[in-house]
Amino acid sequence: LLMYSMEIMKQAMEPLANSPEFASLLVAFSVPVLGLIIGAVFTGVIQSSAASLGILQTMALTGGITYGMAIPVIMGFNIGTCMTAILSSIGVNRNAKRVAVVHILINIIGAVICLSAWLILDSIFHFPLADTPATPVGMALVHTIFNVATTCMLLPFTKQLEKLTMRILPDKKNDRNSS
């Protein structure tokens, strides 16, 4: 069913390959920071990085999206998916809100570090991958690698993330007096 859906979306996207509007959207993707922002906003609206990735994968089937374009957008998807945590933290206790803050921090810090590393290393080594047309499987792999790398990178810093979260969302004065 998933593959059938992807095929239907691919057929629907084929006319876009020659569309000037679609070409201008792809130009926006070629600016890494803009791609990151577009990915975050789009995923924030639809609240699913998996759905956003599926749409990007379908767009890639037109052949107009390279890994250099897709990588920042995929990192943006991970920031945008925090919208569900933000919405679910409305009306809950302070510790539950802190969980949402940690989720946001992890994805923003991970995206900043990974995108910076990608851009610096690509400017030095000029990775051929950056100009290679992206494939659905390759983009899924990039998404997975980003999430695993971010987790491994930030896992040793759990205490620092906790302290930062406490600074962002401190205890209320009433909470401290009652403890």
Side-chain angles (χ1 to χ4, degrees):
L1 188 60
L2 179 64
M3 292 304 172
Y4 179 67
S5 300
M6 291 286 283
E7 184 61 32
I8 290 173
M9 286 195 293
K10 175 187 170 197
Q11 290 171 3
M13 291 281 192
E14 283 175 355
L16 292 177
N18 299 322
S19 165
E21 293 83 13
F22 184 69
S24 67
L25 176 66
L26 294 182
V27 169
F29 280 4
S30 65
V31 177
V33 174
L34 193 54
L36 180 94
I37 293 168
I38 289 170
V41 170
F42 183 75
T43 305
V45 170
I46 67 170
Q47 299 178 26
S48 171
S49 63
S52 297
L53 183 60
I55 292 167
L56 185 65
Q57 288 170 323
T58 303
M59 289 173 66
L61 293 173
T62 66
I65 297 180
T66 64
Y67 282 104
M69 295 171 170
I71 288 171
V73 175
I74 291 168
M75 291 179 191
F77 289 165
N78 285 282
I79 295 171
T81 199
C82 295
M83 183 55 74
T84 54
I86 293 167
L87 292 175
S88 66
S89 71
I90 296 171
V92 296
N93 69 35
R94 205 129 185 102
N95 284 331
K97 290 178 192 230
R98 288 182 181 129
V99 171
V101 169
V102 168
H103 181 55
I104 295 163
L105 287 173
I106 287 170
N107 283 297
I108 290 174
I109 292 168
V112 167
I113 291 171
C114 290
L115 184 58
S116 298
W118 167 256
L119 293 174
I120 290 167
L121 292 173
D122 186 44
S123 71
I124 295 169
F125 299 110
H126 306 290
F127 298 128
L129 177 71
D131 297 323
T132 304
T135 65
V137 172
M139 286 192 284
L141 186 61
V142 167
H143 191 258
T144 301
I145 289 169
F146 171 76
N147 283 299
V148 170
T150 298
T151 302
C152 292
M153 180 175 46
L154 294 177
L155 194 59
F157 299 100
T158 55
K159 291 290 184 197
Q160 290 83 356
L161 282 168
E162 179 185 0
K163 287 178 183 175
L164 181 56
T165 302
M166 293 299 285
R167 289 183 105 181
I168 293 170
L169 202 58
D171 287 330
K172 292 181 180 177
K173 290 186 180 191
N174 295 343
D175 292 344
R176 281 189 233 142
N177 293 338
S178 64
S179 327

PDB file of all heavy atoms in Angstrom, residues 120-159:
ATOM      1  N   ILE A 120      30.927  22.759   6.328  1.00  0.00           N
ATOM      2  CA  ILE A 120      32.380  22.977   6.417  1.00  0.00           C
ATOM      3  C   ILE A 120      33.132  21.876   5.684  1.00  0.00           C
ATOM      4  O   ILE A 120      34.022  22.149   4.869  1.00  0.00           O
ATOM      5  CB  ILE A 120      32.829  23.075   7.896  1.00  0.00           C
ATOM      6  CG1 ILE A 120      32.310  24.375   8.510  1.00  0.00           C
ATOM      7  CG2 ILE A 120      34.351  22.982   8.016  1.00  0.00           C
ATOM      8  CD1 ILE A 120      32.427  24.442  10.023  1.00  0.00           C
ATOM      9  N   LEU A 121      32.762  20.631   5.958  1.00  0.00           N
ATOM     10  CA  LEU A 121      33.454  19.511   5.313  1.00  0.00           C
ATOM     11  C   LEU A 121      33.213  19.504   3.802  1.00  0.00           C
ATOM     12  O   LEU A 121      34.134  19.216   3.024  1.00  0.00           O
ATOM     13  CB  LEU A 121      33.032  18.188   5.942  1.00  0.00           C
ATOM     14  CG  LEU A 121      33.491  17.982   7.394  1.00  0.00           C
ATOM     15  CD1 LEU A 121      32.878  16.727   7.982  1.00  0.00           C
ATOM     16  CD2 LEU A 121      35.017  17.938   7.473  1.00  0.00           C
ATOM     17  N   ASP A 122      31.999  19.844   3.376  1.00  0.00           N
ATOM     18  CA  ASP A 122      31.714  19.887   1.943  1.00  0.00           C
ATOM     19  C   ASP A 122      32.490  21.011   1.258  1.00  0.00           C
ATOM     20  O   ASP A 122      32.941  20.853   0.123  1.00  0.00           O
ATOM     21  CB  ASP A 122      30.215  20.045   1.689  1.00  0.00           C
ATOM     22  CG  ASP A 122      29.865  19.951   0.219  1.00  0.00           C
ATOM     23  OD1 ASP A 122      30.404  19.046  -0.464  1.00  0.00           O
ATOM     24  OD2 ASP A 122      29.066  20.775  -0.250  1.00  0.00           O
ATOM     25  N   SER A 123      32.679  22.134   1.942  1.00  0.00           N
ATOM     26  CA  SER A 123      33.455  23.223   1.334  1.00  0.00           C
ATOM     27  C   SER A 123      34.938  22.861   1.208  1.00  0.00           C
ATOM     28  O   SER A 123      35.616  23.338   0.299  1.00  0.00           O
ATOM     29  CB  SER A 123      33.283  24.521   2.122  1.00  0.00           C
ATOM     30  OG  SER A 123      33.939  24.430   3.365  1.00  0.00           O
ATOM     31  N   ILE A 124      35.401  21.992   2.098  1.00  0.00           N
ATOM     32  CA  ILE A 124      36.810  21.567   2.042  1.00  0.00           C
ATOM     33  C   ILE A 124      37.013  20.435   1.040  1.00  0.00           C
ATOM     34  O   ILE A 124      37.897  20.471   0.199  1.00  0.00           O
ATOM     35  CB  ILE A 124      37.303  21.139   3.442  1.00  0.00           C
ATOM     36  CG1 ILE A 124      37.306  22.333   4.391  1.00  0.00           C
ATOM     37  CG2 ILE A 124      38.696  20.506   3.360  1.00  0.00           C
ATOM     38  CD1 ILE A 124      37.517  21.963   5.855  1.00  0.00           C
ATOM     39  N   PHE A 125      36.159  19.400   1.153  1.00  0.00           N
ATOM     40  CA  PHE A 125      36.362  18.178   0.372  1.00  0.00           C
ATOM     41  C   PHE A 125      35.492  18.083  -0.882  1.00  0.00           C
ATOM     42  O   PHE A 125      35.691  17.185  -1.697  1.00  0.00           O
ATOM     43  CB  PHE A 125      36.111  16.950   1.253  1.00  0.00           C
ATOM     44  CG  PHE A 125      37.042  16.872   2.420  1.00  0.00           C
ATOM     45  CD1 PHE A 125      36.574  17.075   3.707  1.00  0.00           C
ATOM     46  CD2 PHE A 125      38.398  16.608   2.241  1.00  0.00           C
ATOM     47  CE1 PHE A 125      37.434  17.008   4.793  1.00  0.00           C
ATOM     48  CE2 PHE A 125      39.263  16.542   3.316  1.00  0.00           C
ATOM     49  CZ  PHE A 125      38.778  16.740   4.603  1.00  0.00           C
ATOM     50  N   HIS A 126      34.515  18.967  -1.029  1.00  0.00           N
ATOM     51  CA  HIS A 126      33.615  18.967  -2.193  1.00  0.00           C
ATOM     52  C   HIS A 126      33.073  17.558  -2.458  1.00  0.00           C
ATOM     53  O   HIS A 126      33.376  16.940  -3.472  1.00  0.00           O
ATOM     54  CB  HIS A 126      34.312  19.528  -3.432  1.00  0.00           C
ATOM     55  CG  HIS A 126      34.909  20.873  -3.202  1.00  0.00           C
ATOM     56  ND1 HIS A 126      34.135  22.003  -3.026  1.00  0.00           N
ATOM     57  CD2 HIS A 126      36.199  21.268  -3.089  1.00  0.00           C
ATOM     58  CE1 HIS A 126      34.930  23.037  -2.828  1.00  0.00           C
ATOM     59  NE2 HIS A 126      36.184  22.626  -2.855  1.00  0.00           N
ATOM     60  N   PHE A 127      32.271  17.073  -1.521  1.00  0.00           N
ATOM     61  CA  PHE A 127      31.704  15.734  -1.626  1.00  0.00           C
ATOM     62  C   PHE A 127      30.915  15.559  -2.928  1.00  0.00           C
ATOM     63  O   PHE A 127      30.018  16.361  -3.209  1.00  0.00           O
ATOM     64  CB  PHE A 127      30.760  15.440  -0.456  1.00  0.00           C
ATOM     65  CG  PHE A 127      31.421  15.454   0.895  1.00  0.00           C
ATOM     66  CD1 PHE A 127      30.896  16.219   1.923  1.00  0.00           C
ATOM     67  CD2 PHE A 127      32.545  14.691   1.157  1.00  0.00           C
ATOM     68  CE1 PHE A 127      31.477  16.230   3.173  1.00  0.00           C
ATOM     69  CE2 PHE A 127      33.140  14.701   2.403  1.00  0.00           C
ATOM     70  CZ  PHE A 127      32.608  15.468   3.418  1.00  0.00           C
ATOM     71  N   PRO A 128      31.207  14.526  -3.707  1.00  0.00           N
ATOM     72  CA  PRO A 128      30.414  14.270  -4.912  1.00  0.00           C
ATOM     73  C   PRO A 128      28.946  13.962  -4.573  1.00  0.00           C
ATOM     74  O   PRO A 128      28.057  14.230  -5.374  1.00  0.00           O
ATOM     75  CB  PRO A 128      31.078  13.043  -5.549  1.00  0.00           C
ATOM     76  CG  PRO A 128      32.403  12.895  -4.894  1.00  0.00           C
ATOM     77  CD  PRO A 128      32.330  13.600  -3.574  1.00  0.00           C
ATOM     78  N   LEU A 129      28.703  13.449  -3.387  1.00  0.00           N
ATOM     79  CA  LEU A 129      27.345  13.126  -2.953  1.00  0.00           C
ATOM     80  C   LEU A 129      26.444  14.355  -2.984  1.00  0.00           C
ATOM     81  O   LEU A 129      25.258  14.259  -3.299  1.00  0.00           O
ATOM     82  CB  LEU A 129      27.368  12.544  -1.529  1.00  0.00           C
ATOM     83  CG  LEU A 129      26.012  12.237  -0.915  1.00  0.00           C
ATOM     84  CD1 LEU A 129      25.390  11.025  -1.599  1.00  0.00           C
ATOM     85  CD2 LEU A 129      26.135  11.986   0.572  1.00  0.00           C
ATOM     86  N   ALA A 130      26.997  15.527  -2.687  1.00  0.00           N
ATOM     87  CA  ALA A 130      26.191  16.751  -2.619  1.00  0.00           C
ATOM     88  C   ALA A 130      25.496  17.057  -3.938  1.00  0.00           C
ATOM     89  O   ALA A 130      24.392  17.602  -3.947  1.00  0.00           O
ATOM     90  CB  ALA A 130      27.061  17.934  -2.193  1.00  0.00           C
ATOM     91  N   ASP A 131      26.101  16.689  -5.059  1.00  0.00           N
ATOM     92  CA  ASP A 131      25.525  16.965  -6.372  1.00  0.00           C
ATOM     93  C   ASP A 131      24.821  15.762  -6.987  1.00  0.00           C
ATOM     94  O   ASP A 131      24.313  15.842  -8.107  1.00  0.00           O
ATOM     95  CB  ASP A 131      26.612  17.460  -7.328  1.00  0.00           C
ATOM     96  CG  ASP A 131      27.223  18.770  -6.858  1.00  0.00           C
ATOM     97  OD1 ASP A 131      26.477  19.618  -6.324  1.00  0.00           O
ATOM     98  OD2 ASP A 131      28.448  18.937  -6.996  1.00  0.00           O
ATOM     99  N   THR A 132      24.779  14.663  -6.256  1.00  0.00           N
ATOM    100  CA  THR A 132      24.125  13.444  -6.731  1.00  0.00           C
ATOM    101  C   THR A 132      22.619  13.547  -6.508  1.00  0.00           C
ATOM    102  O   THR A 132      22.189  13.969  -5.424  1.00  0.00           O
ATOM    103  CB  THR A 132      24.675  12.220  -5.960  1.00  0.00           C
ATOM    104  OG1 THR A 132      26.085  12.186  -6.098  1.00  0.00           O
ATOM    105  CG2 THR A 132      24.059  10.930  -6.446  1.00  0.00           C
ATOM    106  N   PRO A 133      21.805  13.175  -7.500  1.00  0.00           N
ATOM    107  CA  PRO A 133      20.349  13.185  -7.278  1.00  0.00           C
ATOM    108  C   PRO A 133      19.977  12.273  -6.102  1.00  0.00           C
ATOM    109  O   PRO A 133      20.445  11.137  -6.003  1.00  0.00           O
ATOM    110  CB  PRO A 133      19.782  12.650  -8.598  1.00  0.00           C
ATOM    111  CG  PRO A 133      20.844  12.942  -9.612  1.00  0.00           C
ATOM    112  CD  PRO A 133      22.148  12.809  -8.872  1.00  0.00           C
ATOM    113  N   ALA A 134      19.151  12.795  -5.226  1.00  0.00           N
ATOM    114  CA  ALA A 134      18.755  12.053  -4.034  1.00  0.00           C
ATOM    115  C   ALA A 134      17.773  10.943  -4.398  1.00  0.00           C
ATOM    116  O   ALA A 134      16.957  11.092  -5.304  1.00  0.00           O
ATOM    117  CB  ALA A 134      18.123  12.998  -3.023  1.00  0.00           C
ATOM    118  N   THR A 135      17.866   9.844  -3.670  1.00  0.00           N
ATOM    119  CA  THR A 135      16.940   8.721  -3.834  1.00  0.00           C
ATOM    120  C   THR A 135      16.123   8.584  -2.556  1.00  0.00           C
ATOM    121  O   THR A 135      16.577   8.990  -1.481  1.00  0.00           O
ATOM    122  CB  THR A 135      17.692   7.406  -4.092  1.00  0.00           C
ATOM    123  OG1 THR A 135      18.469   7.081  -2.933  1.00  0.00           O
ATOM    124  CG2 THR A 135      18.590   7.503  -5.324  1.00  0.00           C
ATOM    125  N   PRO A 136      14.937   8.000  -2.638  1.00  0.00           N
ATOM    126  CA  PRO A 136      14.136   7.803  -1.425  1.00  0.00           C
ATOM    127  C   PRO A 136      14.861   7.006  -0.345  1.00  0.00           C
ATOM    128  O   PRO A 136      14.830   7.370   0.822  1.00  0.00           O
ATOM    129  CB  PRO A 136      12.894   7.072  -1.939  1.00  0.00           C
ATOM    130  CG  PRO A 136      12.752   7.540  -3.349  1.00  0.00           C
ATOM    131  CD  PRO A 136      14.171   7.663  -3.851  1.00  0.00           C
ATOM    132  N   VAL A 137      15.548   5.945  -0.734  1.00  0.00           N
ATOM    133  CA  VAL A 137      16.265   5.123   0.251  1.00  0.00           C
ATOM    134  C   VAL A 137      17.411   5.915   0.864  1.00  0.00           C
ATOM    135  O   VAL A 137      17.631   5.879   2.080  1.00  0.00           O
ATOM    136  CB  VAL A 137      16.785   3.815  -0.399  1.00  0.00           C
ATOM    137  CG1 VAL A 137      17.698   3.053   0.549  1.00  0.00           C
ATOM    138  CG2 VAL A 137      15.636   2.937  -0.849  1.00  0.00           C
ATOM    139  N   GLY A 138      18.131   6.664   0.033  1.00  0.00           N
ATOM    140  CA  GLY A 138      19.233   7.476   0.536  1.00  0.00           C
ATOM    141  C   GLY A 138      18.769   8.538   1.510  1.00  0.00           C
ATOM    142  O   GLY A 138      19.418   8.799   2.530  1.00  0.00           O
ATOM    143  N   MET A 139      17.615   9.143   1.223  1.00  0.00           N
ATOM    144  CA  MET A 139      17.089  10.173   2.133  1.00  0.00           C
ATOM    145  C   MET A 139      16.633   9.554   3.449  1.00  0.00           C
ATOM    146  O   MET A 139      16.826  10.150   4.506  1.00  0.00           O
ATOM    147  CB  MET A 139      15.957  10.943   1.468  1.00  0.00           C
ATOM    148  CG  MET A 139      16.475  11.898   0.409  1.00  0.00           C
ATOM    149  SD  MET A 139      15.239  13.062  -0.146  1.00  0.00           S
ATOM    150  CE  MET A 139      14.254  12.024  -1.179  1.00  0.00           C
ATOM    151  N   ALA A 140      16.050   8.374   3.391  1.00  0.00           N
ATOM    152  CA  ALA A 140      15.667   7.682   4.629  1.00  0.00           C
ATOM    153  C   ALA A 140      16.914   7.359   5.447  1.00  0.00           C
ATOM    154  O   ALA A 140      16.917   7.497   6.675  1.00  0.00           O
ATOM    155  CB  ALA A 140      14.888   6.412   4.312  1.00  0.00           C
ATOM    156  N   LEU A 141      17.984   6.986   4.762  1.00  0.00           N
ATOM    157  CA  LEU A 141      19.244   6.701   5.445  1.00  0.00           C
ATOM    158  C   LEU A 141      19.827   7.964   6.076  1.00  0.00           C
ATOM    159  O   LEU A 141      20.292   7.932   7.222  1.00  0.00           O
ATOM    160  CB  LEU A 141      20.240   6.079   4.464  1.00  0.00           C
ATOM    161  CG  LEU A 141      21.549   5.583   5.042  1.00  0.00           C
ATOM    162  CD1 LEU A 141      21.299   4.478   6.074  1.00  0.00           C
ATOM    163  CD2 LEU A 141      22.448   5.062   3.938  1.00  0.00           C
ATOM    164  N   VAL A 142      19.777   9.086   5.369  1.00  0.00           N
ATOM    165  CA  VAL A 142      20.249  10.363   5.918  1.00  0.00           C
ATOM    166  C   VAL A 142      19.451  10.718   7.171  1.00  0.00           C
ATOM    167  O   VAL A 142      20.018  11.125   8.192  1.00  0.00           O
ATOM    168  CB  VAL A 142      20.157  11.494   4.871  1.00  0.00           C
ATOM    169  CG1 VAL A 142      20.336  12.869   5.506  1.00  0.00           C
ATOM    170  CG2 VAL A 142      21.183  11.285   3.770  1.00  0.00           C
ATOM    171  N   HIS A 143      18.145  10.550   7.118  1.00  0.00           N
ATOM    172  CA  HIS A 143      17.269  10.843   8.260  1.00  0.00           C
ATOM    173  C   HIS A 143      17.649   9.985   9.464  1.00  0.00           C
ATOM    174  O   HIS A 143      17.773  10.489  10.585  1.00  0.00           O
ATOM    175  CB  HIS A 143      15.814  10.590   7.833  1.00  0.00           C
ATOM    176  CG  HIS A 143      14.794  11.081   8.790  1.00  0.00           C
ATOM    177  ND1 HIS A 143      14.129  10.238   9.641  1.00  0.00           N
ATOM    178  CD2 HIS A 143      14.315  12.322   9.039  1.00  0.00           C
ATOM    179  CE1 HIS A 143      13.272  10.948  10.364  1.00  0.00           C
ATOM    180  NE2 HIS A 143      13.371  12.211  10.018  1.00  0.00           N
ATOM    181  N   THR A 144      17.864   8.711   9.217  1.00  0.00           N
ATOM    182  CA  THR A 144      18.242   7.794  10.297  1.00  0.00           C
ATOM    183  C   THR A 144      19.618   8.130  10.854  1.00  0.00           C
ATOM    184  O   THR A 144      19.805   8.195  12.079  1.00  0.00           O
ATOM    185  CB  THR A 144      18.220   6.342   9.788  1.00  0.00           C
ATOM    186  OG1 THR A 144      16.901   6.049   9.318  1.00  0.00           O
ATOM    187  CG2 THR A 144      18.608   5.359  10.889  1.00  0.00           C
ATOM    188  N   ILE A 145      20.584   8.366   9.971  1.00  0.00           N
ATOM    189  CA  ILE A 145      21.944   8.695  10.412  1.00  0.00           C
ATOM    190  C   ILE A 145      21.939   9.975  11.241  1.00  0.00           C
ATOM    191  O   ILE A 145      22.601  10.060  12.280  1.00  0.00           O
ATOM    192  CB  ILE A 145      22.904   8.804   9.208  1.00  0.00           C
ATOM    193  CG1 ILE A 145      23.161   7.415   8.620  1.00  0.00           C
ATOM    194  CG2 ILE A 145      24.221   9.465   9.611  1.00  0.00           C
ATOM    195  CD1 ILE A 145      23.885   7.438   7.278  1.00  0.00           C
ATOM    196  N   PHE A 146      21.197  10.982  10.788  1.00  0.00           N
ATOM    197  CA  PHE A 146      21.124  12.241  11.537  1.00  0.00           C
ATOM    198  C   PHE A 146      20.597  11.992  12.952  1.00  0.00           C
ATOM    199  O   PHE A 146      21.164  12.493  13.919  1.00  0.00           O
ATOM    200  CB  PHE A 146      20.241  13.261  10.816  1.00  0.00           C
ATOM    201  CG  PHE A 146      19.963  14.471  11.660  1.00  0.00           C
ATOM    202  CD1 PHE A 146      20.928  15.445  11.834  1.00  0.00           C
ATOM    203  CD2 PHE A 146      18.747  14.625  12.311  1.00  0.00           C
ATOM    204  CE1 PHE A 146      20.691  16.558  12.632  1.00  0.00           C
ATOM    205  CE2 PHE A 146      18.497  15.730  13.107  1.00  0.00           C
ATOM    206  CZ  PHE A 146      19.475  16.697  13.273  1.00  0.00           C
ATOM    207  N   ASN A 147      19.520  11.241  13.082  1.00  0.00           N
ATOM    208  CA  ASN A 147      18.940  11.006  14.404  1.00  0.00           C
ATOM    209  C   ASN A 147      19.855  10.182  15.311  1.00  0.00           C
ATOM    210  O   ASN A 147      20.007  10.499  16.489  1.00  0.00           O
ATOM    211  CB  ASN A 147      17.562  10.341  14.268  1.00  0.00           C
ATOM    212  CG  ASN A 147      16.511  11.337  13.866  1.00  0.00           C
ATOM    213  OD1 ASN A 147      16.252  12.293  14.583  1.00  0.00           O
ATOM    214  ND2 ASN A 147      15.938  11.158  12.698  1.00  0.00           N
ATOM    215  N   VAL A 148      20.484   9.162  14.759  1.00  0.00           N
ATOM    216  CA  VAL A 148      21.404   8.343  15.560  1.00  0.00           C
ATOM    217  C   VAL A 148      22.638   9.169  15.950  1.00  0.00           C
ATOM    218  O   VAL A 148      23.074   9.137  17.109  1.00  0.00           O
ATOM    219  CB  VAL A 148      21.804   7.056  14.804  1.00  0.00           C
ATOM    220  CG1 VAL A 148      22.924   6.315  15.505  1.00  0.00           C
ATOM    221  CG2 VAL A 148      20.587   6.144  14.640  1.00  0.00           C
ATOM    222  N   ALA A 149      23.183   9.935  14.999  1.00  0.00           N
ATOM    223  CA  ALA A 149      24.371  10.753  15.282  1.00  0.00           C
ATOM    224  C   ALA A 149      24.066  11.807  16.342  1.00  0.00           C
ATOM    225  O   ALA A 149      24.866  12.025  17.265  1.00  0.00           O
ATOM    226  CB  ALA A 149      24.881  11.416  14.008  1.00  0.00           C
ATOM    227  N   THR A 150      22.915  12.459  16.231  1.00  0.00           N
ATOM    228  CA  THR A 150      22.538  13.477  17.215  1.00  0.00           C
ATOM    229  C   THR A 150      22.393  12.859  18.599  1.00  0.00           C
ATOM    230  O   THR A 150      22.879  13.413  19.590  1.00  0.00           O
ATOM    231  CB  THR A 150      21.230  14.174  16.792  1.00  0.00           C
ATOM    232  OG1 THR A 150      21.458  14.834  15.546  1.00  0.00           O
ATOM    233  CG2 THR A 150      20.787  15.193  17.810  1.00  0.00           C
ATOM    234  N   THR A 151      21.749  11.715  18.667  1.00  0.00           N
ATOM    235  CA  THR A 151      21.581  11.041  19.954  1.00  0.00           C
ATOM    236  C   THR A 151      22.928  10.659  20.553  1.00  0.00           C
ATOM    237  O   THR A 151      23.189  10.927  21.730  1.00  0.00           O
ATOM    238  CB  THR A 151      20.692   9.787  19.789  1.00  0.00           C
ATOM    239  OG1 THR A 151      19.427  10.196  19.260  1.00  0.00           O
ATOM    240  CG2 THR A 151      20.489   9.077  21.110  1.00  0.00           C
ATOM    241  N   CYS A 152      23.783  10.043  19.757  1.00  0.00           N
ATOM    242  CA  CYS A 152      25.112   9.648  20.260  1.00  0.00           C
ATOM    243  C   CYS A 152      25.957  10.852  20.659  1.00  0.00           C
ATOM    244  O   CYS A 152      26.685  10.810  21.653  1.00  0.00           O
ATOM    245  CB  CYS A 152      25.848   8.823  19.208  1.00  0.00           C
ATOM    246  SG  CYS A 152      25.124   7.207  18.906  1.00  0.00           S
ATOM    247  N   MET A 153      25.845  11.923  19.895  1.00  0.00           N
ATOM    248  CA  MET A 153      26.622  13.131  20.152  1.00  0.00           C
ATOM    249  C   MET A 153      26.177  13.815  21.451  1.00  0.00           C
ATOM    250  O   MET A 153      27.005  14.296  22.220  1.00  0.00           O
ATOM    251  CB  MET A 153      26.458  14.080  18.967  1.00  0.00           C
ATOM    252  CG  MET A 153      27.195  15.370  19.060  1.00  0.00           C
ATOM    253  SD  MET A 153      27.050  16.343  17.546  1.00  0.00           S
ATOM    254  CE  MET A 153      25.323  16.278  17.135  1.00  0.00           C
ATOM    255  N   LEU A 154      24.872  13.846  21.710  1.00  0.00           N
ATOM    256  CA  LEU A 154      24.366  14.591  22.864  1.00  0.00           C
ATOM    257  C   LEU A 154      24.154  13.736  24.109  1.00  0.00           C
ATOM    258  O   LEU A 154      23.966  14.293  25.192  1.00  0.00           O
ATOM    259  CB  LEU A 154      23.074  15.310  22.489  1.00  0.00           C
ATOM    260  CG  LEU A 154      23.247  16.419  21.448  1.00  0.00           C
ATOM    261  CD1 LEU A 154      21.907  17.029  21.073  1.00  0.00           C
ATOM    262  CD2 LEU A 154      24.198  17.486  21.940  1.00  0.00           C
ATOM    263  N   LEU A 155      24.191  12.430  23.981  1.00  0.00           N
ATOM    264  CA  LEU A 155      23.979  11.554  25.135  1.00  0.00           C
ATOM    265  C   LEU A 155      24.948  11.831  26.285  1.00  0.00           C
ATOM    266  O   LEU A 155      24.524  11.869  27.446  1.00  0.00           O
ATOM    267  CB  LEU A 155      24.042  10.087  24.705  1.00  0.00           C
ATOM    268  CG  LEU A 155      23.516   9.069  25.700  1.00  0.00           C
ATOM    269  CD1 LEU A 155      22.057   9.345  26.045  1.00  0.00           C
ATOM    270  CD2 LEU A 155      23.652   7.667  25.130  1.00  0.00           C
ATOM    271  N   PRO A 156      26.224  12.084  26.018  1.00  0.00           N
ATOM    272  CA  PRO A 156      27.134  12.388  27.127  1.00  0.00           C
ATOM    273  C   PRO A 156      26.843  13.732  27.821  1.00  0.00           C
ATOM    274  O   PRO A 156      27.397  14.016  28.875  1.00  0.00           O
ATOM    275  CB  PRO A 156      28.518  12.432  26.474  1.00  0.00           C
ATOM    276  CG  PRO A 156      28.375  11.764  25.163  1.00  0.00           C
ATOM    277  CD  PRO A 156      26.952  11.931  24.755  1.00  0.00           C
ATOM    278  N   PHE A 157      25.991  14.542  27.230  1.00  0.00           N
ATOM    279  CA  PHE A 157      25.725  15.876  27.767  1.00  0.00           C
ATOM    280  C   PHE A 157      24.339  15.991  28.395  1.00  0.00           C
ATOM    281  O   PHE A 157      23.753  17.075  28.417  1.00  0.00           O
ATOM    282  CB  PHE A 157      25.899  16.927  26.656  1.00  0.00           C
ATOM    283  CG  PHE A 157      27.291  16.949  26.093  1.00  0.00           C
ATOM    284  CD1 PHE A 157      27.568  16.305  24.890  1.00  0.00           C
ATOM    285  CD2 PHE A 157      28.320  17.573  26.765  1.00  0.00           C
ATOM    286  CE1 PHE A 157      28.846  16.304  24.365  1.00  0.00           C
ATOM    287  CE2 PHE A 157      29.604  17.578  26.259  1.00  0.00           C
ATOM    288  CZ  PHE A 157      29.876  16.939  25.049  1.00  0.00           C
ATOM    289  N   THR A 158      23.835  14.904  28.944  1.00  0.00           N
ATOM    290  CA  THR A 158      22.486  14.934  29.524  1.00  0.00           C
ATOM    291  C   THR A 158      22.408  15.891  30.708  1.00  0.00           C
ATOM    292  O   THR A 158      21.404  16.590  30.868  1.00  0.00           O
ATOM    293  CB  THR A 158      22.016  13.529  29.938  1.00  0.00           C
ATOM    294  OG1 THR A 158      22.977  12.950  30.821  1.00  0.00           O
ATOM    295  CG2 THR A 158      21.807  12.636  28.732  1.00  0.00           C
ATOM    296  N   LYS A 159      23.414  15.933  31.535  1.00  0.00           N
ATOM    297  CA  LYS A 159      23.397  16.854  32.692  1.00  0.00           C
ATOM    298  C   LYS A 159      23.382  18.304  32.230  1.00  0.00           C
ATOM    299  O   LYS A 159      22.671  19.130  32.797  1.00  0.00           O
ATOM    300  CB  LYS A 159      24.611  16.601  33.609  1.00  0.00           C
ATOM    301  CG  LYS A 159      24.569  15.280  34.335  1.00  0.00           C
ATOM    302  CD  LYS A 159      23.486  15.301  35.382  1.00  0.00           C
ATOM    303  CE  LYS A 159      23.513  13.999  36.165  1.00  0.00           C
ATOM    304  NZ  LYS A 159      22.290  13.777  36.904  1.00  0.00           N
TER     305      LYS A 159
END
